[in-house]
Each structure stands twice: as structure tokens, then as C-alpha cells.
Amino acid sequence: MAKMMMMQQSQPSLSLLTSSVSDFNGAKLHLQVQYKRKVQQPKGALYVSASSEKKILIMGGTRFIGIFLSRLLVKEGHQVTLFTRGKSPIAKQLPGESDQDFADFSSKILHLKGDRKDYDFVKSSLSAEGFDVVYDINGREAEEVEPILDALPKLEQYIYCSSAGVYLKSDVLPHCEVDAVDPKSRHKGKLETESLLQSKGVNWTSIRPVYIYGPLNYNPVEEWFFHRLKAGRPIPVPNSGIQISQLGHVKDLATAFLAVLGNEKASREIFNISGEKYVTFDGLARACAKAGGFPEPEIVHYNPKEFDFGKKKAFPFRDQHFFASVEKAKHVLGWKPEFDLVDGLTDSYNLDFGRGTFRKEADFTTDDMILSKKLVLQ
């Protein structure tokens, strides 16, 4: 049975730090959003107006992207409900968030407890509630989305978190939204979801992030480097280290999700979202060192083909050039990332790792395999 409740502040307060770059609660973000609204006026009943209060459902929302997005939406005056299995706290105080801001957020966020793969429950509970807008942050398969659309025939906008991983590997970069996609990629479920949304004729927008980083990241992206830097260990990097990649800060991703809300220019469109600049693997290691105040790192290059790592992942990035253009989002949405790479990594380090808050325990097993072979060869 659907369970809807208003969350009250019940989580213990975390130790607070002020972000060196952005507190994510200031007037700067608010003014940027207001400016976009003035130049982008929705027309007709098809489009949701971001300037009016809307009943918004976030599929997921208790981890990483959803945590920052839900705060922006609540701050904008929308009624926000998180659909989760209830295994994680619905409201969690952010590093750098004041007690008053957290209490205000906690008093306004709503929760609908259930399993999105229980399609009968999804249809009945969502039909009973009715929502104007859905943000789908954790959808992986098209079959998970169809019951939501069936339950909400009057839905004004479906905003989907896809992935730049859907693009077909190419010698011509950066990836643009019109580029060929790979139906066999590990993100094929997201690609099929985009196709479903298009076929259903709903008002949809799809966001394709590249690598996402920032505070509360549960994926070992920047954390992988910070673990090694903090332990004073060399950083093993596959092959030449000049492979070019791209990272986007989670707070910039959240503002992009907000920018498409009620924006007729975003209707039935796909947008790449990430940082403006690209970085090599070696450059990323050095950027992490600079962000955390560590000395110049020792980088050790190796040939992955010379090792059998089993199921362990020796490096957190795909061993290839992989980056995408964000020009469409900049020109169409008026969106622009706030964080450059070093500033963003500094924000992540100060608000997470500088306090000793690592998401996962360090595992140097593959590092030791690489380093031991290097010592033997020397």
C-alpha cells in the first residue's frame, strides 16, 4: 500500500564545513534560474511552467544527484515527493548546510515508499497521487518507465537521467547529441528508454552526463585518486596517461536538471551535461593533488594487458578518449557550469574527503600487483 508522509528533521546533524567554492544555497543560483525563466516562456498546455508550483515526483532522490536536485526544487517552491524503497534516510543533512536550511528542507520533502519494479503498485500509487512532472534519476530499463507513463496520462513533463555512455565509440570527438549511439552498450537500457519516451509522444527531456563527481559521490571517481593521495601512494594510470576524459560537477548537473523544467526549448530534446573542459588521466591525478593540497603525485604507467585483475577494476575510467560537447545546453538552455575542474575537486575534497568521509574502503590490491611488477623490471 502506498505510504505518503511528510518528513520531519530526525537525522543527527553532521559536522559542518563551509564550501570554499559554493554553498549551493546562495542567491547566485537563484538569480541564474530566474533569468532563464524570463527569456524562456512556455506556451500552451503541453508545457509545464517552472514559475508555478508543481507537484513533482523524483524516482530515487536519496543519493548524490537527487539530493542536490531535490533541494533546488524545494527552494523553488515545488512540492517534491521522492519514490524510494525506504532503505535510506529520506532527508540527510549536507556538509555545509545550516541546521535551519536542513530543517526547512526536511519539513517539506515527501516520501512515497515502494519498489519501482512492482509495476502494479507503481500504477496504482502514482495514479492515486497524480504528478505534474517526473524526474527519473535511477531508471535503467524502458520497462521501468512505461508503468509510470501509463499511471500519469496528464503528465506535463518527463525528465530522464540518461548517460553519455550510450554513444558509439568514435575517432571523432567530442560526442554531440546527434552522434551515432551504440545499441549494445552497457547503457542500452537508457537508450531504449529514450526511444520509448519518443514513441509515446509525451513531453520529455533527456540529460546525458559524462563522468559525475562532487560531494556524496557513491561512485569511485575522484575518491579513487584521493584514497591514493591521502595514503601517500603512487597513482597507477593505464597506458600513456594522455587519454582524454571529462568530468561534470553534481551541482552543475542539478542546475541543468532545473533549467529544463518548464522550458519549451527542452521539449523532446537531449542534452549532454558535463564540465566545459577536458582532462587527461595524468592531468586528473595532478588536479586531484592540487585540490587536496597534496604534493605532485607520482604517476606510474602500466599496460593493462600484462595483468589479470580478475573482476577487480584497476582504474575508475574507461581506457579511451571519452568526452562530449555541452555547447547545445549552453546555447539552448542558457546553462553554464559554475565549477572548473580544480575548484570542483576542491569542493568535493573539502566537503567529503577532507573530513575523512570516504564512501568505500581503499583497496590497493591491483595497485600492488602493478607496482610489484614495476619493481621487478627495474
Side-chain angles (χ1 to χ4, degrees):
M1 182 176 180
K3 184 179 181 182
M4 179 75 76
M5 59 185 130
M6 184 79 75
M7 298 303 300
Q8 301 296 332
Q9 182 175 358
S10 59
Q11 300 303 313
S13 173
L14 302 177
S15 58
L16 302 179
L17 277 174
T18 300
S19 168
S20 60
V21 181
S22 168
D23 64 2
F24 203 59
N25 296 305
K28 183 176 181 182
L29 288 178
H30 181 72
L31 291 175
Q32 287 176 339
V33 172
Q34 293 299 321
Y35 171 76
K36 290 168 190 168
R37 287 178 184 165
K38 290 179 181 177
V39 299
Q40 297 166 349
Q41 296 296 329
K43 299 176 182 178
L46 174 63
Y47 304 106
V48 50
S49 171
S51 60
S52 61
E53 179 184 329
K54 289 296 173 180
K55 193 171 183 179
I56 296 176
L57 176 69
I58 300 181
M59 301 300 292
T62 58
R63 297 200 303 171
F64 202 32
I65 303 169
I67 288 175
F68 293 99
L69 173 60
S70 59
R71 277 165 170 76
L72 284 183
L73 292 170
V74 167
K75 192 176 289 291
E76 290 295 304
H78 301 294
Q79 179 183 306
V80 180
T81 299
L82 308 184
F83 185 105
T84 80
R85 290 175 294 176
K87 294 185 176 182
S88 299
I90 300 305
K92 177 181 178 183
Q93 188 165 5
L94 294 175
E97 184 177 35
S98 71
D99 291 341
Q100 182 57 51
D101 284 344
F102 176 59
D104 183 61
F105 172 76
S106 300
S107 68
K108 294 175 181 176
I109 198 73
L110 298 168
H111 183 217
L112 184 58
K113 183 178 179 180
D115 186 341
R116 71 175 296 162
K117 292 187 177 182
D118 182 346
Y119 302 142
D120 289 338
F121 170 79
V122 168
K123 289 180 182 179
S124 61
S125 60
L126 269 58
S127 296
E129 292 295 334
F131 292 96
D132 303 314
V133 179
V134 172
Y135 278 95
D136 193 348
I137 304 300
N138 63 7
R140 294 182 177 275
E141 304 294 338
E143 66 178 17
E144 300 171 356
V145 175
E146 195 155 13
I148 300 173
L149 300 178
D150 291 343
L152 300 170
K154 296 182 180 180
L155 185 68
E156 297 174 13
Q157 192 174 15
Y158 197 100
I159 303 171
Y160 184 62
C161 186
S162 184
S163 170
V166 302
Y167 290 115
L168 185 67
K169 188 175 180 180
S170 173
D171 293 327
V172 181
L173 295 167
H175 290 296
C176 296
E177 289 85 350
V178 295
D179 286 355
V181 292
D182 182 3
K184 296 181 180 180
S185 81
R186 70 184 187 91
H187 297 288
K188 65 179 182 179
K190 289 185 176 294
L191 190 59
E192 290 166 354
T193 299
E194 290 178 346
S195 297
L196 172 70
L197 291 170
Q198 191 169 17
S199 69
K200 287 289 187 178
V202 298
N203 181 30
W204 61 273
T205 305
S206 183
I207 301 294
R208 292 178 178 173
V210 189
Y211 288 108
I212 312 167
Y213 75 107
L216 307 180
N217 192 359
Y218 54 84
N219 285 319
V221 178
E222 71 271 39
E223 180 183 68
W224 188 91
F225 293 90
F226 288 143
H227 264 310
R228 284 147 184 81
L229 290 165
K230 200 158 190 176
R233 295 178 62 97
I235 298 180
V237 173
N239 293 311
S240 67
I242 62 172
Q243 303 93 314
I244 300 172
S245 196
Q246 182 183 27
L247 289 83
H249 198 285
V250 64
K251 296 176 185 177
D252 287 330
L253 178 57
T255 60
F257 271 117
L258 186 62
V260 302
L261 177 64
N263 188 338
E264 70 172 338
K265 294 180 180 180
S267 179
R268 302 182 180 88
E269 294 288 345
I270 294 169
F271 297 95
N272 296 331
I273 297 294
S274 194
E276 287 186 281
K277 292 191 174 182
Y278 317 127
V279 64
T280 64
F281 290 167
D282 284 1
L284 179 55
R286 296 187 184 103
C288 286
K290 185 174 182 181
F294 297 102
E296 182 79 6
E298 178 188 354
I299 299 174
V300 176
H301 296 120
Y302 66 95
N303 182 356
K305 294 181 180 179
E306 296 177 355
F307 298 89
D308 180 7
F309 297 123
K311 294 184 178 180
K312 289 186 176 295
K313 195 173 182 178
F315 193 70
F317 293 78
R318 56 181 72 188
D319 187 11
Q320 66 181 69
H321 297 310
F322 180 55
F323 51 99
S325 170
V326 297
E327 291 304 305
K328 179 180 178 180
K330 289 168 62 178
H331 291 135
V332 174
L333 303 176
W335 169 87
K336 183 178 174 63
E338 175 189 1
F339 292 89
D340 67 24
L341 183 60
V342 173
D343 285 345
L345 289 169
T346 301
D347 181 62
S348 181
Y349 185 82
N350 286 346
L351 296 185
D352 262 348
F353 311 109
R355 299 186 300 115
T357 307
F358 285 91
R359 304 295 150 202
K360 296 182 179 179
E361 293 293 326
D363 183 353
F364 301 126
T365 305
T366 57
D367 299 46
D368 291 339
M369 292 171 63
I370 295 164
L371 297 174
S372 63
K373 184 166 184 176
K374 290 287 182 180
L375 287 174
V376 170
L377 293 176
Q378 290 176 355

